[in-house]
Amino acid sequence: MGTNKSFDKMRTLTSRARETARGLVKKVKEKPTPQPTVVVRETKPRPVHRNKLRSSSRSTQPRFTSNRPAAKNDIPVWLKKSGLAAWMTLGILIIVALIVWALAEVSAVVAAIFVALVVTSVLNPIVDWLDQYMPRWIGVVIALLGSTAIFGGLIYYVVTSVAGQWNTLSRQFGNGVDKIIEFVRTGPWAVELTTDEVYQWLNQTLLQARNYIETNAGSLIQGALSNVGTVAIAFTIMALSLFTTIFFLQSGAGMWRWFLNRLPSRHRMTTHRAAAAGWYTFSGYARGIMLVALTNSIFAFLYLTILGIPLAAPLGVLVFIGSFIPLIGAPTAMGIAMIVALAAEGVWMMIAVGIGIALIGQFEGHVLQPLIMGSQVSLHPVVVGIGVTVGTLLAGLFGAVISIPLIASTWAIYQQLHDEDPPFDGPLPSSKEVVEGPQE
């Protein structure tokens, strides 16, 4: 009995302790938990000592500065864009100048390659046609020999015609000089001039020329020897151009494919498109100007022959050569033909020759060139004039000849690589309307 009472008493105490613990836990859960207090510690800036040896490391405000806060961007956007465009333009001009300078140093090679490209552009259609019926190398030989025979035949005809008419020409020129003197004496200027005075002036000029040759014989011989080097360079240019033309006609497509394969694959098609556009324009210009020059020379020869002007064949060849030089070639040939007509037939025949050749030039500019060249070469006359002038100043006569095909080819390449925006529609406001606003 005593054991059972002790056990009941312990169980009762244990139950009470359990109830007390539960009550305490419940009170603790119901009581809100206080938030921890954050202690903010005041910190002072760390002093920075100024470096007396380096002015860029100072930490204090400079003495002579404005209190105005610095703007984030003081340079206008338009000025930034203009400056960038100016630097890019300057860089392009420098690169172009370097290229021109480098080409000028090897001008003989440039001339040979240019002649080869011109001959290739003219003969390549003939070689392509012959390639359908015979091996290509035979077509190349036939085209080169045929063109050489035609060119040599023209030179032979000119030389023989001049030699056969020399006695007649000398007599006609003597009579022409007398006519010119008579026109000067009786014309509107009424200049007192006799035939004896003219021949005396000519004899005096010849005497002065002979004295000059006798006095400066050494320097003239030295100059002649230096011209021998020029002749050698001319033959070198001809040989190199012939050698290059043969390979251009025979395997030009393969050479171009080899060059494209040396480029990265992502640039090959773009390069081919640009080069194809330039070659299409260059070859079109070369073939077109050849046909135009040939047509002009035939018309001039027929016209001078009908008028009875001596040296019609050489003057026709001169018109043919002058047609390759834009702006200045045809007027020069016309002036020489007019001088020959004046000396041979008189003033009125000179005027007739000038009018006829001028009409031939107008027919060339307004009919032949648009018909033969079409849209392959379309340049404004101002561009042609500036290009010929710049080419003449840079490389003389050769620069005047190559300036227009180079400009036309460059423009074709630019058009091929550049996507142009749609053109303006409707009239543009005048300068007064832009500045003062539209008029009401």
Side-chain angles (χ1 to χ4, degrees):
M1 293 294 292
T3 303
N4 292 333
K5 289 181 179 181
S6 299
F7 181 75
D8 293 335
K9 189 175 182 179
M10 288 180 65
R11 189 172 56 182
T12 303
L13 292 174
T14 303
S15 300
R16 289 180 180 178
R18 189 183 299 114
E19 294 294 335
T20 304
R22 288 178 178 175
L24 292 174
V25 172
K26 187 176 181 180
K27 289 181 180 180
V28 170
K29 289 182 178 181
E30 294 176 354
K31 185 177 180 180
T33 304
Q35 297 293 332
T37 304
V38 180
V39 179
V40 179
R41 191 173 182 182
E42 183 179 359
T43 58
K44 295 183 179 181
R46 188 174 180 180
V48 180
H49 300 284
R50 179 178 178 183
N51 190 349
K52 297 181 179 180
L53 298 178
R54 296 174 59 188
S55 60
S56 62
S57 62
R58 60 189 180 186
S59 60
T60 59
Q61 184 74 14
R63 294 178 60 187
F64 303 102
T65 57
S66 175
N67 293 327
R68 181 177 63 86
K72 293 183 179 180
N73 192 1
D74 288 339
I75 303 177
V77 177
W78 66 269
L79 185 57
K80 286 184 177 181
K81 292 183 178 180
S82 301
L84 180 61
W87 277 109
M88 293 175 64
T89 305
L90 182 61
I92 293 173
L93 292 177
I94 291 174
I95 293 174
V96 171
L98 290 176
I99 293 174
V100 172
W101 174 80
L103 295 179
E105 293 297 319
V106 289
S107 57
V109 179
V110 175
I113 294 176
F114 178 80
V115 174
L117 291 175
V118 171
V119 177
T120 301
S121 64
V122 174
L123 298 182
N124 195 55
I126 302 176
V127 174
D128 290 339
W129 180 75
L130 293 175
D131 190 25
Q132 301 175 4
Y133 307 99
M134 62 187 69
R136 189 172 182 85
W137 67 270
I138 298 179
V140 172
V141 173
I142 293 176
L144 288 175
L145 291 179
S147 60
T148 304
I150 293 174
F151 184 74
L154 289 175
I155 294 178
Y156 176 77
Y157 175 73
V158 170
V159 172
T160 54
S161 63
V162 172
Q165 300 179 15
W166 183 255
N167 295 329
T168 305
L169 290 175
S170 60
R171 185 174 60 257
Q172 287 181 342
F173 279 122
N175 297 331
V177 171
D178 295 337
K179 293 180 181 179
I180 294 173
I181 295 173
E182 185 66 21
F183 175 76
V184 171
R185 290 179 56 189
T186 60
W189 299 282
V191 178
E192 292 295 333
L193 186 65
T194 62
T195 306
D196 294 336
E197 292 176 350
V198 173
Y199 285 111
Q200 183 180 1
W201 175 77
L202 290 175
N203 292 330
Q204 186 178 0
T205 303
L206 293 176
L207 181 62
Q208 291 177 355
R210 187 179 65 181
N211 293 334
Y212 177 80
I213 292 174
E214 293 176 355
T215 305
N216 302 279
S219 59
L220 292 176
I221 293 174
Q222 185 178 1
L225 293 177
S226 63
N227 291 330
V228 172
T230 304
V231 174
I233 293 175
F235 278 104
T236 303
I237 292 174
M238 293 174 60
L240 180 59
S241 62
L242 177 61
F243 178 78
T244 310
T245 302
I246 293 174
F247 281 94
F248 283 169
L249 291 173
Q250 173 64 24
S251 58
M255 294 168 63
W256 176 245
R257 184 178 293 274
W258 177 89
F259 173 77
L260 288 178
N261 290 332
R262 306 283 78 78
L263 300 177
S265 58
R266 63 182 183 276
H267 297 313
R268 291 175 184 174
M269 187 52 63
T270 303
T271 304
H272 177 69
R273 288 175 49 238
W279 175 249
Y280 177 77
T281 301
F282 181 86
S283 59
Y285 177 84
R287 290 192 294 266
I289 198 66
M290 186 72 67
L291 292 176
V292 169
L294 182 61
T295 306
N296 286 344
S297 62
I298 293 175
F299 284 166
F301 170 73
L302 295 177
Y303 182 70
L304 294 176
T305 303
I306 293 173
L307 293 180
I309 303 299
L311 299 178
L315 290 175
V317 174
L318 185 63
V319 171
F320 176 80
I321 297 174
S323 299
F324 289 94
I325 307 174
L327 296 182
I328 59 176
T332 302
M334 181 180 67
I336 296 175
M338 291 175 64
I339 292 174
V340 173
L342 175 64
E345 300 294 337
V347 178
W348 294 110
M349 192 61 68
M350 177 193 71
I351 296 175
V353 169
I355 294 175
I357 296 181
L359 292 176
I360 293 174
Q362 293 297 317
F363 178 75
E364 168 203 344
H366 294 86
V367 178
L368 288 181
Q369 288 192 2
L371 181 63
I372 295 176
M373 297 185 183
S375 60
Q376 294 179 356
V377 181
S378 180
L379 296 176
H380 196 275
V382 175
V383 178
V384 174
I386 295 175
V388 172
T389 304
V390 173
T392 305
L393 294 177
L394 291 177
L397 183 62
F398 179 69
V401 173
I402 69 173
S403 59
I404 301 307
L406 290 181
I407 293 175
S409 302
T410 304
W411 178 246
I413 293 172
Y414 172 78
Q415 286 183 319
Q416 184 66 32
L417 298 179
H418 177 67
D419 296 330
E420 295 184 355
D421 295 330
F424 276 112
D425 291 332
L428 295 175
S430 63
S431 57
K432 182 179 181 180
E433 292 176 349
V434 171
V435 176
E436 299 180 359
Q439 301 293 330
E440 296 182 357

